[in-house]
Amino acid sequence: MKPITKALFPVAGLGTRFLPATKAQPKEMLPVVDKPLIQYAIEEAYEAGIREMIFVTGRTKRAIEDHFDMAYELETELAAANKHELLRVVQSIKPDDLECVFIRQPKMLGLGHAVLCGSLLINGEPFAVLLADDLMVGEKPIMRQMVEQYAEWRASIIAVQEVPPEQTRRYGIVAGTPVRDRLVDVSRIVEKPAPEDAPSNLGVAGRYILTPGVLDEIRNLPRGVGGEIQLTDGIAGLLRREKVFAYRYEGRRYDCGSKEGFLQASVELALEHPQIGPGFRDYLASLRESGRV
């Protein structure tokens, strides 16, 4: 197996849970503190050694392409004004060795279909999938943890976390045999089961490393839950002929596809921000003292 050099980002969704904010901008461009969601995911993949980023986009996602393109006018103005720190920030968005490729998903037929749209660019190699809605933070970046697991096991790796039983309808749920403390040899994966049908409490988070065999499985899938082509169903098919492991990552996940999760991420990452953190902490303390929270 080759090393992981490609990451796929399915970003074609409409972001309807954030309307009206997402009427004219992609949900992946919503800022958490001072960076858009998609940039957190790209930085996570980059820190894991991945250099080719494949974006599966839709008609309204031009802002994502612009964000990772050179902003000639802005950079020229910042340089002329001697605002070198801001210029460094703008130029650091896309390092010179980072390649961004964009491909359209003509119809939104599910996560499995989005992955299949990028199959020609994946070119028969193992690849990562990162969902920008899931902002994930760890002392060691989550995708780097997974790349290290892949290097050891040379098999598909799925990020999972323990979820409350009443929330199994929100996740793909895996079951299997523990291999070590944080690793499970998967024997079954089910998309969004009812609590009484869930095979475990391990829910799939928005990070995957997949072998190219999953693409053959997805191509032959009928539409599943919600009339969509589910990546979970493709992984279930892959289990018949390959090992798949579930990895309980070390870190925190914010479900930024929901308003509550987005606000939680904004508050917690603001508190950790080296420049604004101390002042923001004082502000929250003043709210508490005044009885407003």
Side-chain angles (χ1 to χ4, degrees):
M1 284 290 183
K2 297 181 179 180
I4 307 301
T5 62
K6 301 174 186 285
L8 187 145
F9 301 84
V11 292
L14 295 176
T16 53
R17 285 190 284 178
F18 278 89
L19 286 170
T22 50
K23 180 176 181 290
Q25 71 169 329
K27 63 178 179 178
E28 296 83 8
M29 289 300 296
L30 293 175
V32 175
V33 188
D34 54 1
K35 290 188 290 191
L37 279 169
I38 187 63
Q39 189 173 334
Y40 285 97
I42 293 294
E43 289 176 355
E44 182 186 334
Y46 187 86
E47 290 171 359
I50 297 170
R51 295 295 181 265
E52 184 174 338
M53 313 298 179
I54 302 167
F55 298 81
V56 181
T57 70
R59 288 190 307 107
T60 61
K61 304 299 177 127
R62 179 61 184 271
I64 297 176
E65 297 184 41
D66 290 343
H67 185 69
F68 292 100
D69 198 359
M70 179 181 180
Y72 178 78
E73 295 85 355
L74 175 59
E75 294 183 25
T76 301
E77 289 294 329
L78 291 174
N82 292 319
K83 296 182 178 179
H84 300 298
E85 181 60 26
L86 288 176
L87 179 61
R88 183 195 64 78
V89 169
V90 171
Q91 293 177 337
S92 70
I93 292 172
K94 183 182 179 298
D96 291 340
D97 60 346
L98 177 68
E99 182 178 1
C100 294
V101 185
F102 298 87
I103 189 167
R104 285 282 184 93
Q105 184 179 12
K107 294 182 179 180
M108 287 178 288
L109 297 178
L111 180 55
H113 181 258
V115 170
L116 198 59
C117 287
S119 60
L120 289 178
L121 297 172
I122 291 166
N123 195 31
E125 297 181 25
F127 61 101
V129 178
L130 296 89
L131 307 187
D133 282 0
D134 285 341
L135 200 168
M136 299 175 73
V137 179
E139 184 173 340
K140 179 185 291 185
I142 309 305
M143 184 49 64
R144 190 195 301 175
Q145 296 177 37
M146 296 180 65
V147 165
E148 290 175 357
Q149 292 296 320
Y150 171 82
E152 180 175 357
W153 296 95
R154 297 290 171 172
S156 295
I157 309 288
I158 307 170
V160 295
Q161 64 184 42
E162 295 182 357
V163 301
E166 64 273 14
Q167 294 183 10
T168 58
R169 294 182 188 272
R170 303 181 189 178
Y171 298 89
I173 302 294
V174 305
T177 305
V179 176
R180 55 175 61 159
D181 182 39
R182 291 186 171 273
L183 202 70
V184 172
D185 185 349
V186 178
S187 60
R188 188 181 178 200
I189 182 168
V190 183
E191 178 69 9
K192 299 178 180 177
E196 61 272 18
D197 298 324
S200 78
N201 68 335
L202 290 179
V204 177
R207 301 291 184 271
Y208 309 78
I209 290 177
L210 300 170
T211 60
V214 75
L215 299 172
D216 294 329
E217 299 296 332
I218 296 172
R219 288 188 185 97
N220 296 315
L221 284 177
R223 296 193 186 186
V225 174
E228 297 182 337
I229 299 173
Q230 301 291 345
L231 179 58
T232 301
D233 294 338
I235 295 170
L238 189 65
L239 280 170
R240 293 193 292 264
R241 55 194 177 93
E242 290 185 17
K243 286 283 189 183
V244 176
F245 294 96
Y247 173 66
R248 285 195 303 114
Y249 60 90
E250 297 183 69
R252 309 189 306 273
R253 167 184 171 267
Y254 302 98
D255 178 11
C256 290
S258 71
K259 293 177 183 178
E260 181 180 0
F262 182 83
L263 291 172
Q264 290 170 349
S266 298
V267 170
E268 293 193 26
L269 269 62
L271 288 170
E272 296 173 2
H273 195 281
Q275 279 79 48
I276 69 172
F280 187 58
R281 186 178 302 276
D282 292 342
Y283 169 70
L284 292 181
S286 71
L287 290 182
R288 190 161 47 246
E289 290 171 2
S290 66
R292 295 171 63 187
V293 293

